Amino acid sequence: MPQYNYDEAQEALQYIQQFTDTTPKTAIISGSGLGDIADIIDAHAIIQAQDIPNWPSSTAPGHAGRIITGTVSGRPVIMLQGRLHYYEGYPLKAVTFPERVLGMMGVQEVIITNASGAVSMSLNSGDIIAIRDHINLMCNNPLIGQNEDRWNERFPDMTHAYNPELLAILKDMGIHQGVYAALAGPSFETPSEVRMLGMLGADVVGMSTVPEVIVANSMGLKVCVLSCVANMCAGIEYGKLMSGHEVLEVMQASAKRLAGIIRDLIERLNGESE
Ligand code: HPA
């Protein structure tokens, strides 16, 4: 049974490094139904997650993740297609193991995508927003347990968990911002929970991302999260019920638009570092 510790991450890193001779600058992590974002990558290598030592790949058939290395507009990138969720029963140290490996690899920034439900009435299904802050209501944290000092300090700062420079670029691109509340799931929220989330200051709610954001920040990576609003939350639209199928459909329909935003963002990052 892997412990998802430093030595295991080192082994995973060494395996991945066989396939690439450049250090990726940007990592992209695709959420549910958003695997098509890979189309923007000039791929150099495709690695099956299940072949990487200690990599926590999903055991569900057809859901084995892939890792793609290559370039977007000339910038070296690595993309993780498919992620694990807390609600699948994996410990948060497994869910965030890929971020550990990305941090050790020397990646500068991580662009994470996810699906969310809208708490705020000013959002609509199909909207894509940048997350500017989060509220962790998962009742868990990936950093709980003995601290690995080679990875992060005991009490990492989270004041700028969502990198202000990346947010400024996205704002300039016309992308609106919102606060993401993370719940464990997998049941959707009740209407009363949705009203509570609104009172707490959440604009959207989802079941992923926050553990990854915590670990990436703790390792000093710049983080940016693009959230695709799949639905209005429970109780907002009269008589409407929540459906996981609908979430996937909206995600698949939004993947191309999201991919375009990520490509533009990466092009602007390229412009900044030249
Ligand atoms: N709630 C929680 N997570 C979600 C939702 C939702 O309404 N839609 C997509 N992910």
Side-chain angles (χ1 to χ4, degrees), residues 181-205:
L183 270 66
S187 51
F188 285 106
E189 303 71 39
T190 63
S192 297
E193 286 167 342
V194 172
R195 278 194 297 277
M196 174 195 74
L197 294 171
M199 285 188 260
L200 293 180
D203 299 297
V204 291
V205 56

Side-chain angles (χ1 to χ4, degrees), residues 115-118 187-189 205-207 228 230-234 242 247 251:
S116 59
S187 51
F188 285 106
E189 303 71 39
V205 56
M207 306 172 190
C228 182
N231 53 275
M232 299 309 289
C233 277
M242 296 293 108
V247 171
M251 289 300 106

Side-chain angles (χ1 to χ4, degrees), residues 100-163:
R100 292 300 188 191
V101 176
L102 292 174
M104 291 167 87
M105 198 177 275
V107 159
Q108 291 173 11
E109 62 266 327
V110 191
I111 302 171
I112 302 177
T113 63
N114 68 22
S116 59
V119 175
S120 162
M121 303 283 270
S122 46
L123 292 169
N124 287 301
S125 155
D127 284 352
I128 293 170
I129 62 165
I131 301 304
R132 66 172 173 83
D133 206 351
H134 73 226
I135 306 171
N136 181 8
L137 298 172
M138 282 185 161
C139 302
N140 201 349
N141 188 303
L143 305 182
I144 288 176
Q146 197 183 359
N147 199 55
E148 171 53 77
D149 296 334
R150 287 172 290 183
W151 270 341
N152 57 267
E153 56 182 295
R154 175 76 283 191
F155 302 110
D157 176 55
M158 292 289 285
T159 312
H160 298 298
Y162 299 81
N163 183 262

Side-chain angles (χ1 to χ4, degrees), residues 37 40 111 126-130 169-170 173-175 224 226-227 254-268:
I37 294 173
I40 61 172
I111 302 171
D127 284 352
I128 293 170
I129 62 165
I169 297 174
L170 288 164
M173 288 165 51
I175 310 289
C224 139
L226 289 164
S227 188
S254 307
K256 273 216 158 44
R257 223 163 5 108
L258 192 49
I261 294 172
I262 294 174
R263 195 194 44 234
D264 288 356
L265 173 61
I266 291 176
E267 275 170 10
R268 287 179 189 231

